[in-house]
């Protein structure tokens, strides 16, 4: 099955700086890559996703890039704010199969 | 409110006992996925049901079982509970346009 690796496991940045989280996947058939944000004790929430027919997608301060050849994708958060502090999970799946394989998570701390 | 409903929110039980967790997917979604999240851990996929039938199985223990009913709600049964089964259990349903939506989870504590 699919194996998703995520780095780093923890990340601290100063407020206003950028944060980058990277993931790699193993199955070249995967074509859907969502990112989830999970605040302490709460449910994971989808923040952005990308499909394999595009290389980059942006939504305000959040962007995701995908390199299908290298089988890696990244989450970029610019102008970080304290409310961005959370655990972020990347995931991968094959459209049609629907089962998402998650990375192990990155705990992001934004220092005011 | 995500539209995915999980009950109960909290559950405390003793080792060796059996519990049932319930999930109702978002209206119109046919799939239900169950995930286990232990303290400070990632999301471990347990099992997926689609329109009443098991579709995929992950790292689900033999002591755990699940089913999806005709009204599409799903139940996850955990038996012979051990201390290590203490975790947050999430279910999710999916929509091809919006991806997974998770419920608020059931926090299980085994004492």
């Amino acid at each position: 099955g699919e194996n998703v690796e995520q780095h780093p496991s923890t990340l601290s940045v100063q407020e206003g700086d950028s944060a980058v989280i990277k993931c790699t996947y193993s199955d070249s058939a995967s074509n859907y890559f969502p990112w989830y944000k999970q605040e302490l004790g709460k449910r994971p929430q989808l923040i952005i996703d990308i499909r394999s027919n595009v290389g980059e997608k942006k939504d305000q301060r959040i962007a995701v890039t995908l390199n299908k050849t290298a089988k890696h994708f990244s989450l970029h958060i610019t102008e970080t704010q304290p409310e961005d502090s959370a655990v972020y999970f990347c995931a991968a799946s094959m459209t049609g199969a629907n089962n998402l394989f998650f990375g192990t998570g990155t705990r992001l701390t934004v220092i005011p | 409110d995500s539209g995915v409903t999980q009950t109960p929110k909290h559950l405390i039980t003793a080792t060796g006992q059996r519990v049932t967790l319930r999930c109702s997917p978002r209206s119109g979604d046919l799939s239900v996925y169950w995930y286990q999240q232990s303290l400070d851990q990632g999301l471990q996929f347990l099992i997926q049901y689609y329109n009443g039938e098991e579709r995929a199985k992950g790292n689900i223990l033999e002591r755990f079982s699940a089913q999806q009913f005709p009204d599409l709600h799903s139940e996850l049964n955990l038996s012979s509970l051990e201390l290590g089964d203490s975790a947050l259990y999430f279910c999710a349903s999916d929509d091809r346009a919006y991806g997974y939506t998770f419920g608020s989870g059931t926090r299980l504590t085994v004492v």
Side-chain angles (χ1 to χ4, degrees), chain A residues 72-107:
Chain A
H72 66 70
F73 56 113
S74 300
L75 178 71
H76 304 253
I77 306 174
T78 58
E79 300 172 23
T80 53
Q81 301 166 2
E83 51 265 39
D84 294 329
S85 296
V87 178
Y88 291 81
F89 291 96
C90 63
S93 80
M94 289 178 283
T95 303
N98 297 120
N99 180 23
L100 278 176
F101 294 88
F102 284 87
T104 48
T106 296
R107 183 176 300 279

Side-chain angles (χ1 to χ4, degrees), chain B residues 32-96:
Chain B
V32 170
Y33 306 81
W34 286 98
Y35 284 82
Q36 179 192 56
Q37 187 176 39
S38 301
L39 188 63
D40 277 349
Q41 297 292 311
L43 292 154
Q44 288 274 52
F45 169 66
L46 296 177
I47 197 162
Q48 176 201 359
Y49 277 83
Y50 179 85
N51 203 20
E53 295 192 0
E54 181 185 305
R55 177 167 275 195
K57 218 172 204 179
N59 298 322
I60 187 166
L61 298 172
E62 285 191 14
R63 300 183 286 109
F64 296 0
S65 65
Q67 54 185 328
Q68 187 178 28
F69 295 87
D71 67 352
L72 301 177
H73 91 271
S74 177
E75 292 181 356
L76 179 67
N77 301 297
L78 315 176
S79 61
S80 302
L81 284 167
E82 302 174 359
L83 295 177
D85 297 327
S86 296
L88 261 173
Y89 290 84
F90 287 104
C91 77
S93 67
D94 79 330
D95 174 285
R96 286 180 185 272

Side-chain angles (χ1 to χ4, degrees), chain A residues 5-8 20-24 35 72-75 90 106:
Chain A
E5 295 190 357
Q6 183 172 347
H7 300 280
V20 180
I21 302 170
K22 298 182 179 183
C23 289
T24 61
W35 287 87
H72 66 70
F73 56 113
S74 300
L75 178 71
C90 63
T106 296

